[in-house]
């Protein structure tokens, strides 16, 4: 089988860590996400994934994060089987294949041109599936998305890498440019950004996290059309009992500390009808 050499740096390089995390989970005796396509894709890439800093524990956390956002996305698509999905900063994520959305859904995977070119070489095609090579904050790409359908926006592991002004402008344009929809994403508190050097995959990639979100009020100030449906601490996810012992203990202890609980969260925002 031919393999692909990958040369990515900074924020782009983190996609290799998250891909490897899902692949490690798929190889586990009792996987959380069971993303076998990620395992297949990882095997086709000529890269020493051990250099990403991803461990069994952090791989399980990656799988839990993906599974949680997949659940929110499935709820939306069950109610809106003819929606558009904007998967921002898609990297090498297999979400469109994992969710296998209804046949009336138009799916858009958006990332930098070189990342999208890599996706084209590695991923199978799908009906009503479009890849767009662009920085997500160069919002001209949104003109390619129809305005007459509900829109679901998924941004996993993305917003903290954007600069604040660019990120807010992106969310504002989506909320005010489409009739209705939801935004699903994870975010770090500004205090959480100070701990980024303790995150091996971020440190080894040479990436920099820039945008801290300190609660729903920070997000609702972006546009009067936005409503917060859910704001959930990462420590409230189900499934931490599946982590290896030391990680499970760390989560249990940290989750009882109010200051730590606020460092990272999942948000579900809604706009329109």
């Amino acid at each position: 089988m031919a393999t692909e050499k990958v040369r990515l740096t900074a924020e782009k390089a983190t996609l290799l860590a998250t891909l490897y995390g899902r692949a490690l989970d798929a190889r586990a005796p009792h996987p959380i996400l069971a993303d076998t396509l990620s395992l297949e894709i990882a095997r086709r890439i000529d890269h020493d994934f051990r250099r990403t800093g991803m461990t069994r524990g952090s791989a399980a956390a990656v799988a839990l994060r993906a599974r949680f956002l997949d659940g929110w996305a499935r709820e939306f698509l069950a109610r809106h089987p003819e929606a558009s999905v904007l998967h921002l900063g898609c990297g090498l994520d297999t979400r469109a294949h994992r969710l296998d959305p209804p046949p009336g859904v138009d799916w858009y995977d958006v990332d930098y041109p070189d990342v999208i070119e890599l996706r084209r070489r590695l991923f199978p095609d799908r009906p009503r599936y479009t890849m767009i090579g662009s920085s997500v904050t160069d919002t001209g790409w949104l003109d390619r998305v129809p305005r007459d359908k509900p829109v679901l926006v998924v941004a996993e592991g993305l917003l903290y890498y954007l600069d604040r002004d660019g990120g807010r402008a992106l969310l504002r344009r989506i909320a005010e440019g489409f009739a209705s929809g939801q935004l699903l994403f994870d975010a770090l508190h500004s205090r959480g950004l100070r701990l980024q050097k303790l995150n091996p995959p971020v440190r080894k990639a040479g990436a920099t996290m820039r945008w801290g979100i300190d609660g729903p009020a920070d997000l609702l100030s972006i546009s009067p059309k936005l409503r917060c449906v859910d704001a959930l601490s990462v420590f409230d996810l189900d499934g931490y009992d599946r982590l290896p012992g030391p990680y499970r203990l760390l989560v249990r202890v940290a989750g009882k500390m109010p200051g730590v609980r606020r460092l990272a969260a999942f948000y579900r925002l809604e706009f329109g009808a």
Side-chain angles (χ1 to χ4, degrees):
M1 179 187 297
T3 58
E4 294 284 343
K5 285 191 175 294
V6 177
R7 293 179 178 84
L8 300 170
T9 59
E11 289 77 23
K12 296 178 189 177
T14 62
L15 66 83
L16 295 171
T18 52
L19 171 68
Y20 186 47
R22 294 189 303 274
L24 282 176
D25 172 71
R27 287 167 44 191
H30 304 288
I32 294 167
L33 192 63
D35 185 355
T36 55
L37 180 56
S38 280
L39 181 57
E40 293 174 20
I41 297 298
R43 286 172 173 163
R44 293 180 57 193
I45 294 175
D46 182 5
H47 184 77
D48 183 359
F49 284 100
R50 294 170 298 180
R51 296 170 56 190
T52 64
M54 186 64 59
T55 64
R56 282 199 314 125
S58 51
V62 164
L64 283 173
R65 180 180 73 177
R67 186 180 71 174
F68 180 76
L69 289 173
D70 282 359
W72 272 354
R74 284 191 179 95
E75 289 176 16
F76 183 91
L77 294 176
R79 295 195 304 272
H80 304 283
E82 295 190 352
S84 294
V85 178
L86 311 182
H87 189 196
L88 307 185
C90 59
L92 296 179
D93 199 298
T94 63
R95 178 161 278 119
H97 302 270
R98 290 198 308 269
L99 295 184
D100 192 22
V105 168
D106 292 311
W107 190 289
Y108 300 84
D109 271 346
V110 187
D111 212 314
Y112 289 108
D114 52 346
V115 175
I116 291 299
E117 181 56 35
L118 180 61
R119 283 189 70 91
R120 293 188 194 280
R121 298 196 299 269
L122 290 170
F123 280 73
D125 201 6
R126 293 180 54 85
R128 305 186 74 157
Y129 172 68
T130 302
M131 291 185 258
I132 298 177
S134 172
S135 165
V136 296
T137 54
D138 293 341
T139 55
W141 64 266
L142 282 165
D143 295 335
R144 299 176 58 177
V145 183
R147 296 297 197 270
D148 59 347
K149 302 172 66 171
V151 62
L152 175 68
V153 180
V154 184
E156 179 182 355
L158 171 70
L159 293 192
Y160 27 77
Y161 291 116
L162 305 181
D163 69 84
R164 180 179 182 275
D165 290 344
R168 287 173 64 88
L170 170 65
L171 299 190
R172 183 181 304 111
R173 177 157 184 199
I174 292 171
E176 298 181 358
F178 292 88
S180 65
Q182 285 189 352
L183 303 163
L184 315 178
F185 54 90
D186 58 316
L188 291 178
H189 193 280
S190 56
R191 290 198 298 271
L193 295 183
R194 301 171 194 164
L195 303 177
Q196 60 184 286
K197 294 304 180 185
L198 301 180
N199 184 321
V202 172
R203 186 177 67 249
K204 288 178 178 292
T208 301
M209 296 176 170
R210 302 174 177 85
W211 184 17
I213 294 171
D214 294 345
D218 274 6
L219 296 163
L220 299 183
S221 68
I222 292 173
S223 170
K225 294 194 173 185
L226 287 172
R227 305 182 296 274
C228 184
V229 179
D230 287 293
L232 185 76
S233 169
V234 297
F235 293 98
D236 290 331
L237 292 189
D238 291 330
Y240 281 123
D241 58 320
R242 307 280 292 278
L243 296 180
Y247 291 89
R248 191 164 60 244
L249 177 61
L250 178 62
V251 169
R252 186 180 300 123
V253 172
K256 294 179 180 179
M257 304 167 66
V260 175
R261 286 179 57 79
R262 290 192 291 270
L263 294 182
F266 291 95
Y267 291 95
R268 175 159 53 173
L269 304 184
E270 196 168 66
F271 55 90

